[in-house]
Amino acid sequence: MEHTFNVSKFRTIKATFGETIKMHVTDSRVPDNDFEGEFPLLTYNEIVEFFKEHEHIYAMNMAKERFKR
């Protein structure tokens, strides 16, 4: 099942749900700096909350550092 939603004015998450969750996060202010990955449910939820709390432009890079695989 695929789902797309906004977590802020600029940021959109596309997620495909299965045994793990594939996610693709885009920020319209920095279109060439996407965040992508495949995560278990608990990590996915943590990432979504992280993006809701951090609306600034640097959050994409912060998420890449924090949620390295």
Side-chain angles (χ1 to χ4, degrees), residues 1 4 12-13 17 19-20 23 27 34-35 38 40 45 47 54 57 59-61 64 66:
M1 176 172 68
T4 301
T12 302
I13 295 178
F17 297 90
E19 287 184 32
T20 57
M23 67 186 309
D27 188 316
D34 294 356
F35 175 86
E38 190 168 340
N45 288 338
I47 293 168
H54 298 87
I57 199 166
M60 297 296 273
N61 292 332
K64 288 177 183 180
R66 182 172 176 179

Side-chain angles (χ1 to χ4, degrees), residues 1-51:
M1 176 172 68
E2 191 170 296
H3 186 65
T4 301
F5 59 97
N6 295 322
V7 289
S8 71
K9 181 178 178 180
F10 302 101
R11 203 163 285 131
T12 302
I13 295 178
K14 290 182 182 178
T16 303
F17 297 90
E19 287 184 32
T20 57
I21 300 168
K22 295 178 186 176
M23 67 186 309
H24 184 111
V25 184
T26 56
D27 188 316
S28 62
R29 298 167 292 185
V30 284
D32 58 340
N33 191 26
D34 294 356
F35 175 86
E36 294 182 278
E38 190 168 340
F39 304 95
L41 179 61
L42 290 176
T43 305
Y44 166 81
N45 288 338
E46 186 179 350
I47 293 168
V48 171
E49 289 304 314
F50 176 86
F51 281 122

